[in-house]
PDB file of all heavy atoms in Angstrom:
ATOM      1  N   GLU A   1       0.867  -1.188  -0.017  1.00 94.00           N
ATOM      2  CA  GLU A   1       0.003   0.038  -0.080  1.00 94.00           C
ATOM      3  C   GLU A   1       0.895   1.251   0.018  1.00 94.00           C
ATOM      4  O   GLU A   1       1.915   1.355   0.752  1.00 94.00           O
ATOM      5  CB  GLU A   1      -0.986   0.011   1.210  1.00 94.00           C
ATOM      6  CG  GLU A   1      -1.942  -1.081   1.206  1.00 94.00           C
ATOM      7  CD  GLU A   1      -2.928  -1.012   2.356  1.00 94.00           C
ATOM      8  OE1 GLU A   1      -2.835  -0.161   3.256  1.00 94.00           O
ATOM      9  OE2 GLU A   1      -3.806  -1.837   2.375  1.00 94.00           O
ATOM     10  N   LYS A   2       0.543   2.154  -0.806  1.00 92.00           N
ATOM     11  CA  LYS A   2       1.220   3.440  -0.903  1.00 92.00           C
ATOM     12  C   LYS A   2       0.310   4.540  -0.360  1.00 92.00           C
ATOM     13  O   LYS A   2      -0.827   4.752  -0.865  1.00 92.00           O
ATOM     14  CB  LYS A   2       1.550   3.812  -2.285  1.00 92.00           C
ATOM     15  CG  LYS A   2       2.398   5.146  -2.461  1.00 92.00           C
ATOM     16  CD  LYS A   2       2.845   5.409  -3.841  1.00 92.00           C
ATOM     17  CE  LYS A   2       3.569   6.769  -3.923  1.00 92.00           C
ATOM     18  NZ  LYS A   2       3.891   7.119  -5.247  1.00 92.00           N
ATOM     19  N   ASN A   3       0.864   5.326   0.653  1.00 91.00           N
ATOM     20  CA  ASN A   3       0.187   6.543   1.125  1.00 91.00           C
ATOM     21  C   ASN A   3       0.561   7.614   0.174  1.00 91.00           C
ATOM     22  O   ASN A   3       1.820   8.092   0.230  1.00 91.00           O
ATOM     23  CB  ASN A   3       0.555   6.879   2.621  1.00 91.00           C
ATOM     24  CG  ASN A   3      -0.214   7.997   3.127  1.00 91.00           C
ATOM     25  OD1 ASN A   3      -0.320   9.093   2.542  1.00 91.00           O
ATOM     26  ND2 ASN A   3      -0.921   7.772   4.246  1.00 91.00           N
ATOM     27  N   THR A   4      -0.296   8.144  -0.723  1.00 90.00           N
ATOM     28  CA  THR A   4       0.067   9.158  -1.697  1.00 90.00           C
ATOM     29  C   THR A   4       0.315  10.511  -1.183  1.00 90.00           C
ATOM     30  O   THR A   4       0.901  11.265  -1.838  1.00 90.00           O
ATOM     31  CB  THR A   4      -1.008   9.180  -2.785  1.00 90.00           C
ATOM     32  OG1 THR A   4      -2.289   9.498  -2.178  1.00 90.00           O
ATOM     33  CG2 THR A   4      -1.195   7.789  -3.486  1.00 90.00           C
ATOM     34  N   VAL A   5      -0.180  10.794   0.110  1.00 92.00           N
ATOM     35  CA  VAL A   5       0.192  12.060   0.739  1.00 92.00           C
ATOM     36  C   VAL A   5       1.563  11.978   1.421  1.00 92.00           C
ATOM     37  O   VAL A   5       2.334  12.970   1.214  1.00 92.00           O
ATOM     38  CB  VAL A   5      -0.929  12.353   1.840  1.00 92.00           C
ATOM     39  CG1 VAL A   5      -0.537  13.640   2.468  1.00 92.00           C
ATOM     40  CG2 VAL A   5      -2.268  12.372   1.108  1.00 92.00           C
ATOM     41  N   LYS A   6       1.804  10.949   2.224  1.00 88.00           N
ATOM     42  CA  LYS A   6       3.129  10.849   2.834  1.00 88.00           C
ATOM     43  C   LYS A   6       4.175  10.264   1.999  1.00 88.00           C
ATOM     44  O   LYS A   6       5.424  10.243   2.406  1.00 88.00           O
ATOM     45  CB  LYS A   6       2.960  10.075   4.097  1.00 88.00           C
ATOM     46  CG  LYS A   6       2.018  10.692   5.181  1.00 88.00           C
ATOM     47  CD  LYS A   6       1.886   9.802   6.382  1.00 88.00           C
ATOM     48  CE  LYS A   6       0.847  10.427   7.431  1.00 88.00           C
ATOM     49  NZ  LYS A   6       0.715   9.564   8.605  1.00 88.00           N
ATOM     50  N   ASN A   7       3.838   9.706   0.926  1.00 87.00           N
ATOM     51  CA  ASN A   7       4.810   8.989   0.036  1.00 87.00           C
ATOM     52  C   ASN A   7       5.567   7.833   0.699  1.00 87.00           C
ATOM     53  O   ASN A   7       6.754   7.759   0.596  1.00 87.00           O
ATOM     54  CB  ASN A   7       5.856  10.020  -0.648  1.00 87.00           C
ATOM     55  CG  ASN A   7       6.543   9.494  -1.824  1.00 87.00           C
ATOM     56  OD1 ASN A   7       5.965   8.741  -2.552  1.00 87.00           O
ATOM     57  ND2 ASN A   7       7.724   9.840  -1.988  1.00 87.00           N
ATOM     58  N   THR A   8       4.806   7.048   1.511  1.00 87.00           N
ATOM     59  CA  THR A   8       5.275   5.882   2.186  1.00 87.00           C
ATOM     60  C   THR A   8       4.698   4.656   1.718  1.00 87.00           C
ATOM     61  O   THR A   8       3.545   4.705   1.184  1.00 87.00           O
ATOM     62  CB  THR A   8       5.116   6.056   3.731  1.00 87.00           C
ATOM     63  OG1 THR A   8       3.773   6.248   3.947  1.00 87.00           O
ATOM     64  CG2 THR A   8       5.934   7.315   4.197  1.00 87.00           C
ATOM     65  N   TYR A   9       5.375   3.534   1.806  1.00 87.00           N
ATOM     66  CA  TYR A   9       4.934   2.200   1.489  1.00 87.00           C
ATOM     67  C   TYR A   9       4.807   1.403   2.669  1.00 87.00           C
ATOM     68  O   TYR A   9       5.678   1.419   3.586  1.00 87.00           O
ATOM     69  CB  TYR A   9       5.856   1.594   0.469  1.00 87.00           C
ATOM     70  CG  TYR A   9       5.749   2.075  -0.962  1.00 87.00           C
ATOM     71  CD1 TYR A   9       6.407   3.272  -1.219  1.00 87.00           C
ATOM     72  CD2 TYR A   9       4.919   1.481  -1.929  1.00 87.00           C
ATOM     73  CE1 TYR A   9       6.259   3.831  -2.654  1.00 87.00           C
ATOM     74  CE2 TYR A   9       4.910   1.967  -3.168  1.00 87.00           C
ATOM     75  CZ  TYR A   9       5.589   3.226  -3.575  1.00 87.00           C
ATOM     76  OH  TYR A   9       5.493   3.679  -4.758  1.00 87.00           O
ATOM     77  N   THR A  10       3.806   0.552   2.723  1.00 88.00           N
ATOM     78  CA  THR A  10       3.578  -0.537   3.807  1.00 88.00           C
ATOM     79  C   THR A  10       3.257  -1.775   3.107  1.00 88.00           C
ATOM     80  O   THR A  10       2.458  -1.825   2.165  1.00 88.00           O
ATOM     81  CB  THR A  10       2.577  -0.039   4.738  1.00 88.00           C
ATOM     82  OG1 THR A  10       2.862   1.184   5.284  1.00 88.00           O
ATOM     83  CG2 THR A  10       2.383  -1.026   5.865  1.00 88.00           C
ATOM     84  N   THR A  11       3.795  -2.901   3.578  1.00 90.00           N
ATOM     85  CA  THR A  11       3.378  -4.193   3.105  1.00 90.00           C
ATOM     86  C   THR A  11       2.278  -4.733   4.029  1.00 90.00           C
ATOM     87  O   THR A  11       2.465  -4.650   5.357  1.00 90.00           O
ATOM     88  CB  THR A  11       4.555  -5.186   3.159  1.00 90.00           C
ATOM     89  OG1 THR A  11       5.485  -4.793   2.095  1.00 90.00           O
ATOM     90  CG2 THR A  11       4.114  -6.626   2.791  1.00 90.00           C
ATOM     91  N   LYS A  12       1.159  -5.277   3.607  1.00 93.00           N
ATOM     92  CA  LYS A  12       0.175  -5.779   4.435  1.00 93.00           C
ATOM     93  C   LYS A  12       0.061  -7.291   4.337  1.00 93.00           C
ATOM     94  O   LYS A  12       0.413  -7.817   3.217  1.00 93.00           O
ATOM     95  CB  LYS A  12      -1.234  -5.147   4.005  1.00 93.00           C
ATOM     96  CG  LYS A  12      -1.301  -3.666   4.155  1.00 93.00           C
ATOM     97  CD  LYS A  12      -1.417  -3.269   5.634  1.00 93.00           C
ATOM     98  CE  LYS A  12      -1.690  -1.797   5.709  1.00 93.00           C
ATOM     99  NZ  LYS A  12      -1.984  -1.411   7.131  1.00 93.00           N
ATOM    100  N   MET A  13      -0.374  -7.920   5.344  1.00 92.00           N
ATOM    101  CA  MET A  13      -0.420  -9.365   5.464  1.00 92.00           C
ATOM    102  C   MET A  13      -1.654  -9.937   6.131  1.00 92.00           C
ATOM    103  O   MET A  13      -2.019  -9.318   7.213  1.00 92.00           O
ATOM    104  CB  MET A  13       0.949  -9.844   6.135  1.00 92.00           C
ATOM    105  CG  MET A  13       2.176  -9.385   5.688  1.00 92.00           C
ATOM    106  SD  MET A  13       3.533  -9.889   6.802  1.00 92.00           S
ATOM    107  CE  MET A  13       4.886  -9.063   5.962  1.00 92.00           C
ATOM    108  N   VAL A  14      -2.190 -10.964   5.643  1.00 94.00           N
ATOM    109  CA  VAL A  14      -3.266 -11.527   6.362  1.00 94.00           C
ATOM    110  C   VAL A  14      -3.368 -13.014   5.999  1.00 94.00           C
ATOM    111  O   VAL A  14      -2.994 -13.461   4.869  1.00 94.00           O
ATOM    112  CB  VAL A  14      -4.657 -10.858   5.940  1.00 94.00           C
ATOM    113  CG1 VAL A  14      -5.008 -11.048   4.508  1.00 94.00           C
ATOM    114  CG2 VAL A  14      -5.836 -11.243   6.879  1.00 94.00           C
ATOM    115  N   LEU A  15      -3.855 -13.890   6.901  1.00 93.00           N
ATOM    116  CA  LEU A  15      -4.087 -15.316   6.682  1.00 93.00           C
ATOM    117  C   LEU A  15      -5.456 -15.575   6.134  1.00 93.00           C
ATOM    118  O   LEU A  15      -6.456 -14.913   6.647  1.00 93.00           O
ATOM    119  CB  LEU A  15      -3.847 -16.153   7.918  1.00 93.00           C
ATOM    120  CG  LEU A  15      -2.421 -16.319   8.390  1.00 93.00           C
ATOM    121  CD1 LEU A  15      -2.265 -16.981   9.648  1.00 93.00           C
ATOM    122  CD2 LEU A  15      -1.427 -16.940   7.387  1.00 93.00           C
ATOM    123  N   LEU A  16      -5.566 -16.440   5.215  1.00 94.00           N
ATOM    124  CA  LEU A  16      -6.923 -16.675   4.649  1.00 94.00           C
ATOM    125  C   LEU A  16      -7.093 -18.284   4.664  1.00 94.00           C
ATOM    126  O   LEU A  16      -6.063 -19.050   4.618  1.00 94.00           O
ATOM    127  CB  LEU A  16      -7.029 -16.345   3.131  1.00 94.00           C
ATOM    128  CG  LEU A  16      -6.820 -14.819   2.763  1.00 94.00           C
ATOM    129  CD1 LEU A  16      -6.788 -14.619   1.307  1.00 94.00           C
ATOM    130  CD2 LEU A  16      -7.765 -13.957   3.566  1.00 94.00           C
ATOM    131  N   ASP A  17      -8.306 -18.693   4.793  1.00 92.00           N
ATOM    132  CA  ASP A  17      -8.569 -20.163   4.610  1.00 92.00           C
ATOM    133  C   ASP A  17      -8.829 -20.338   3.099  1.00 92.00           C
ATOM    134  O   ASP A  17      -8.797 -19.397   2.373  1.00 92.00           O
ATOM    135  CB  ASP A  17      -9.672 -20.712   5.445  1.00 92.00           C
ATOM    136  CG  ASP A  17     -11.095 -20.011   5.086  1.00 92.00           C
ATOM    137  OD1 ASP A  17     -11.254 -19.341   3.974  1.00 92.00           O
ATOM    138  OD2 ASP A  17     -12.004 -20.036   5.998  1.00 92.00           O
ATOM    139  N   GLU A  18      -9.112 -21.630   2.592  1.00 91.00           N
ATOM    140  CA  GLU A  18      -9.198 -21.823   1.200  1.00 91.00           C
ATOM    141  C   GLU A  18     -10.510 -21.319   0.625  1.00 91.00           C
ATOM    142  O   GLU A  18     -10.684 -21.391  -0.582  1.00 91.00           O
ATOM    143  CB  GLU A  18      -8.945 -23.274   0.874  1.00 91.00           C
ATOM    144  CG  GLU A  18      -9.955 -24.251   1.440  1.00 91.00           C
ATOM    145  CD  GLU A  18      -9.809 -25.670   0.881  1.00 91.00           C
ATOM    146  OE1 GLU A  18      -9.271 -25.864  -0.283  1.00 91.00           O
ATOM    147  OE2 GLU A  18     -10.145 -26.665   1.550  1.00 91.00           O
ATOM    148  N   SER A  19     -11.413 -20.861   1.408  1.00 92.00           N
ATOM    149  CA  SER A  19     -12.594 -20.247   0.947  1.00 92.00           C
ATOM    150  C   SER A  19     -12.516 -18.675   0.847  1.00 92.00           C
ATOM    151  O   SER A  19     -13.410 -18.017   0.573  1.00 92.00           O
ATOM    152  CB  SER A  19     -13.850 -20.590   1.916  1.00 92.00           C
ATOM    153  OG  SER A  19     -14.071 -21.941   1.876  1.00 92.00           O
ATOM    154  N   GLY A  20     -11.261 -18.261   1.152  1.00 94.00           N
ATOM    155  CA  GLY A  20     -11.009 -16.755   1.054  1.00 94.00           C
ATOM    156  C   GLY A  20     -11.399 -15.953   2.269  1.00 94.00           C
ATOM    157  O   GLY A  20     -11.417 -14.769   2.288  1.00 94.00           O
ATOM    158  N   ASN A  21     -11.758 -16.669   3.384  1.00 93.00           N
ATOM    159  CA  ASN A  21     -12.071 -15.908   4.583  1.00 93.00           C
ATOM    160  C   ASN A  21     -10.897 -15.651   5.483  1.00 93.00           C
ATOM    161  O   ASN A  21      -9.936 -16.481   5.553  1.00 93.00           O
ATOM    162  CB  ASN A  21     -13.063 -16.857   5.503  1.00 93.00           C
ATOM    163  CG  ASN A  21     -14.388 -17.244   4.783  1.00 93.00           C
ATOM    164  OD1 ASN A  21     -14.906 -16.332   4.210  1.00 93.00           O
ATOM    165  ND2 ASN A  21     -14.646 -18.447   4.720  1.00 93.00           N
ATOM    166  N   LYS A  22     -10.820 -14.476   6.018  1.00 92.00           N
ATOM    167  CA  LYS A  22      -9.691 -14.015   6.844  1.00 92.00           C
ATOM    168  C   LYS A  22      -9.719 -14.832   8.101  1.00 92.00           C
ATOM    169  O   LYS A  22     -10.694 -14.978   8.845  1.00 92.00           O
ATOM    170  CB  LYS A  22      -9.814 -12.569   7.169  1.00 92.00           C
ATOM    171  CG  LYS A  22      -9.537 -11.693   6.045  1.00 92.00           C
ATOM    172  CD  LYS A  22      -9.587 -10.169   6.357  1.00 92.00           C
ATOM    173  CE  LYS A  22     -10.997  -9.723   6.515  1.00 92.00           C
ATOM    174  NZ  LYS A  22     -11.109  -8.189   6.739  1.00 92.00           N
ATOM    175  N   THR A  23      -8.517 -15.269   8.419  1.00 88.00           N
ATOM    176  CA  THR A  23      -8.369 -16.136   9.738  1.00 88.00           C
ATOM    177  C   THR A  23      -7.352 -15.453  10.633  1.00 88.00           C
ATOM    178  O   THR A  23      -7.057 -16.038  11.715  1.00 88.00           O
ATOM    179  CB  THR A  23      -7.856 -17.527   9.467  1.00 88.00           C
ATOM    180  OG1 THR A  23      -6.604 -17.608   8.759  1.00 88.00           O
ATOM    181  CG2 THR A  23      -8.863 -18.374   8.632  1.00 88.00           C
ATOM    182  N   SER A  24      -6.995 -14.249  10.342  1.00 87.00           N
ATOM    183  CA  SER A  24      -6.209 -13.397  11.222  1.00 87.00           C
ATOM    184  C   SER A  24      -6.519 -11.877  10.908  1.00 87.00           C
ATOM    185  O   SER A  24      -7.201 -11.645   9.891  1.00 87.00           O
ATOM    186  CB  SER A  24      -4.654 -13.631  10.992  1.00 87.00           C
ATOM    187  OG  SER A  24      -4.235 -13.069   9.744  1.00 87.00           O
ATOM    188  N   GLU A  25      -6.013 -11.047  11.857  1.00 87.00           N
ATOM    189  CA  GLU A  25      -6.212  -9.611  11.493  1.00 87.00           C
ATOM    190  C   GLU A  25      -5.217  -9.276  10.410  1.00 87.00           C
ATOM    191  O   GLU A  25      -4.207  -9.875  10.147  1.00 87.00           O
ATOM    192  CB  GLU A  25      -5.899  -8.894  12.686  1.00 87.00           C
ATOM    193  CG  GLU A  25      -6.833  -9.039  13.923  1.00 87.00           C
ATOM    194  CD  GLU A  25      -6.594  -8.234  15.102  1.00 87.00           C
ATOM    195  OE1 GLU A  25      -5.480  -7.485  15.049  1.00 87.00           O
ATOM    196  OE2 GLU A  25      -7.339  -8.204  16.139  1.00 87.00           O
ATOM    197  N   ILE A  26      -5.492  -8.216   9.674  1.00 91.00           N
ATOM    198  CA  ILE A  26      -4.533  -7.583   8.707  1.00 91.00           C
ATOM    199  C   ILE A  26      -3.451  -6.897   9.405  1.00 91.00           C
ATOM    200  O   ILE A  26      -3.742  -6.050  10.249  1.00 91.00           O
ATOM    201  CB  ILE A  26      -5.320  -6.637   7.713  1.00 91.00           C
ATOM    202  CG1 ILE A  26      -6.308  -7.363   6.881  1.00 91.00           C
ATOM    203  CG2 ILE A  26      -4.238  -5.910   6.904  1.00 91.00           C
ATOM    204  CD1 ILE A  26      -7.121  -6.466   6.046  1.00 91.00           C
ATOM    205  N   CYS A  27      -2.211  -7.390   9.187  1.00 87.00           N
ATOM    206  CA  CYS A  27      -1.102  -6.772   9.841  1.00 87.00           C
ATOM    207  C   CYS A  27      -0.220  -5.988   8.893  1.00 87.00           C
ATOM    208  O   CYS A  27      -0.240  -6.204   7.686  1.00 87.00           O
ATOM    209  CB  CYS A  27      -0.276  -7.916  10.507  1.00 87.00           C
ATOM    210  SG  CYS A  27      -1.166  -8.776  11.710  1.00 87.00           S
ATOM    211  N   SER A  28       0.582  -5.037   9.398  1.00 86.00           N
ATOM    212  CA  SER A  28       1.467  -4.172   8.593  1.00 86.00           C
ATOM    213  C   SER A  28       2.837  -4.422   8.843  1.00 86.00           C
ATOM    214  O   SER A  28       3.309  -4.861   9.901  1.00 86.00           O
ATOM    215  CB  SER A  28       1.063  -2.688   8.920  1.00 86.00           C
ATOM    216  OG  SER A  28      -0.288  -2.378   8.800  1.00 86.00           O
ATOM    217  N   SER A  29       3.706  -4.115   7.861  1.00 82.00           N
ATOM    218  CA  SER A  29       5.111  -4.472   8.041  1.00 82.00           C
ATOM    219  C   SER A  29       5.916  -3.385   7.188  1.00 82.00           C
ATOM    220  O   SER A  29       5.463  -3.047   6.036  1.00 82.00           O
ATOM    221  CB  SER A  29       5.487  -5.834   7.398  1.00 82.00           C
ATOM    222  OG  SER A  29       6.888  -5.999   7.400  1.00 82.00           O
ATOM    223  N   PRO A  30       7.065  -2.965   7.634  1.00 78.00           N
ATOM    224  CA  PRO A  30       7.934  -2.081   6.849  1.00 78.00           C
ATOM    225  C   PRO A  30       8.721  -2.843   5.812  1.00 78.00           C
ATOM    226  O   PRO A  30       9.434  -2.116   4.967  1.00 78.00           O
ATOM    227  CB  PRO A  30       8.851  -1.445   7.898  1.00 78.00           C
ATOM    228  CG  PRO A  30       8.965  -2.474   8.906  1.00 78.00           C
ATOM    229  CD  PRO A  30       7.578  -3.139   8.959  1.00 78.00           C
ATOM    230  N   LEU A  31       8.619  -4.153   5.807  1.00 77.00           N
ATOM    231  CA  LEU A  31       9.386  -4.919   4.922  1.00 77.00           C
ATOM    232  C   LEU A  31       8.966  -4.717   3.492  1.00 77.00           C
ATOM    233  O   LEU A  31       7.754  -4.702   3.212  1.00 77.00           O
ATOM    234  CB  LEU A  31       9.327  -6.418   5.271  1.00 77.00           C
ATOM    235  CG  LEU A  31       9.785  -6.740   6.667  1.00 77.00           C
ATOM    236  CD1 LEU A  31       9.576  -8.243   6.996  1.00 77.00           C
ATOM    237  CD2 LEU A  31      11.273  -6.373   6.937  1.00 77.00           C
TER     238      LEU A  31
END
């Protein structure tokens, strides 16, 4: 994700089951 105002990037991560349902919260990373 790019914040177009701050010009910063963040990588987002979430676990899904095979039906596409989220099994964890969406987490952020500077990686």
Side-chain angles (χ1 to χ4, degrees):
E1 293 185 356
K2 180 182 179 181
N3 186 309
T4 58
V5 176
K6 298 180 180 180
N7 198 33
T8 57
Y9 285 81
T10 304
T11 294
K12 298 288 187 174
M13 310 175 179
V14 67
L15 290 175
L16 305 175
D17 63 21
E18 65 171 333
S19 296
N21 300 311
K22 289 183 285 188
T23 60
S24 75
E25 295 181 356
I26 296 177
C27 299
S28 301
S29 169
L31 304 176

